[in-house]
Amino acid sequence: MAGRYAPSPTGNLHVGNLRTAILAWLFARSTGRDFLLRIEDLDRVRAGSEAQQIRELTDIGLDWDGTPARQSERLALYEHAIDSLTARGLTFECFCTRRDIAEAASAPHALPGHYPGTCRDLSDEEREERRRSRPSALRLRSRVNQWAISDLIHGEYEGAVDDFVIRRNDGAPAYNLAVVVDDHAQGVDQVVRGDDLLSSTPRQAYLGSLLGYPAPEYAHVPLALNADGQRLAKRDGAVTLEDLASIAVEPHEVRALILDSLGLPNHSLSAALAAFDPGALPREPWVVSNLGS
Ligand SMILES: [Zn+2]
């Protein structure tokens, strides 16, 4: 049994990311689970960012089990899952551009947010012809429109499932596929992450069910927002450990601010762990402004 934190190495972690990492650690450790770190580096990465993020997580006092896994080193695993779906007739090639999809999706009977099904039933000849002009993405041949999940914070949540992409047309496995395959392969049965990902979770859970994986426990935690109610970002001033250190706010003080925002004892992670109660967590976003003052 394990929980995990899975950052993308695209830059420094900000206090909202660190708060989610602390929550994932608290959920895992308070339930006797291992805590794993996974680097989600299938997309564009920034040089040096992985090592930087690992330092930042260490600096606020987090620890994890084993060495961090990197998605870029696990491609065979994703291909294996994709092949098994294809062998069962559960995938199809899609040649649509973004524009094709936007146009088809605006048709009167289209389901909002769903792939319009353009390439679902192409004949072999049609596919052959389209392959000559454009590389294909691979989509899941979904048999449902909705899927329900259970979330420790949001309760029962039902969301859209469509024929989503599982392999991009550049050959890379899609995020929704890689996450599901990794969590299962790594023994992760508790998924704690930002609630901006809640709406993609029914897709992932459905995919996991097709692959025969037991459903993990989910907790989608509130994000950090800036004073204008937007998702916290680098432009919001001193929001990374590096920025904050430059105005004399040390990592243990940042951790204390984060633990304060969670209503937990703020002097150490072990004290916070002893007091941790998922049911008592704030349900509202954390509004961050002027951390250094
Ligand atoms: Zn298509």
Side-chain angles (χ1 to χ4, degrees):
M1 298 203 311
R4 49 47 159 212
Y5 182 63
S8 299
T10 56
N12 296 51
L13 298 173
H14 62 55
V15 291
N17 306 134
L18 294 170
R19 186 179 193 248
T20 301
I22 286 175
L23 279 168
W25 183 91
L26 288 167
F27 270 96
R29 294 294 191 222
S30 67
T31 52
R33 286 176 165 87
D34 280 353
F35 182 63
L36 308 180
L37 191 61
R38 184 170 73 227
I39 311 299
E40 301 205 327
D41 59 351
L42 291 177
D43 265 323
R44 201 161 23 98
V45 303
R46 209 176 77 186
S49 178
E50 176 190 319
Q52 174 75 31
Q53 291 183 343
I54 287 174
R55 266 197 307 280
E56 290 165 338
L57 294 168
T58 305
D59 284 348
I60 54 161
L62 293 182
D63 58 1
W64 48 86
D65 298 286
T67 48
R70 279 190 205 97
Q71 288 192 323
S72 60
E73 295 170 355
R74 301 164 64 83
L75 297 175
L77 210 59
Y78 312 135
E79 281 308 313
H80 180 76
I82 291 169
D83 288 348
S84 79
L85 293 166
T86 298
R88 291 160 60 200
L90 289 172
T91 66
F92 64 91
E93 287 178 79
C94 170
F95 303 88
C96 295
T97 61
R98 276 170 204 274
R99 187 175 170 170
D100 293 336
I101 291 172
E103 282 172 6
S106 63
H109 300 292
L111 280 172
H114 281 237
Y115 173 71
T118 318
C119 305
R120 205 175 209 259
D121 301 309
L122 294 179
S123 67
D124 290 347
E125 293 73 28
E126 288 169 320
R127 267 199 302 277
E128 201 52 57
E129 189 202 315
R130 281 171 176 72
R131 280 188 199 123
R132 284 196 280 271
S133 59
R134 193 178 156 75
S136 62
L138 201 65
R139 289 183 180 272
L140 185 70
R141 190 180 291 278
S142 171
R143 292 164 173 160
V144 301
N145 292 321
Q146 300 275 318
W147 194 256
I149 61 137
S150 172
D151 185 280
L152 291 173
I153 292 175
H154 296 265
E156 293 296 308
Y157 174 84
E158 192 172 70
V161 177
D162 68 344
D163 294 338
F164 57 96
V165 171
I166 59 171
R167 187 169 62 214
R168 305 184 325 211
N169 75 356
D170 63 3
Y175 168 78
N176 280 325
L177 182 283
V179 164
V180 169
V181 170
D182 277 334
D183 282 339
H184 178 70
Q186 295 187 284
V188 169
D189 64 345
Q190 182 188 61
V191 174
V192 178
R193 56 189 178 188
D195 60 14
D196 54 330
L197 292 169
L198 180 62
S199 66
S200 56
T201 300
R203 289 183 175 86
Q204 295 176 13
Y206 174 62
L207 177 60
S209 79
L210 290 177
L211 290 165
Y213 304 163
E217 173 175 294
Y218 293 104
H220 287 85
V221 300
L223 293 181
L225 304 180
N226 68 17
D228 297 325
Q230 295 157 331
R231 207 193 298 185
L232 196 69
K234 279 223 66 159
R235 63 172 181 277
D236 295 314
V239 293
T240 67
L241 291 184
E242 194 172 75
D243 300 337
L244 288 160
S246 74
I247 53 171
V249 183
E250 298 305 318
H252 73 273
E253 296 171 291
V254 178
R255 184 179 66 216
L257 289 167
I258 290 171
L259 293 174
D260 280 339
S261 80
L262 296 169
L264 291 167
N266 72 9
H267 55 281
S268 74
L269 277 178
S270 52
L273 181 59
F276 183 62
D277 171 10
L281 285 175
R283 303 296 166 107
E284 301 301 315
W286 180 35
V287 179
V288 174
S289 60
N290 298 325
L291 286 177
S293 59

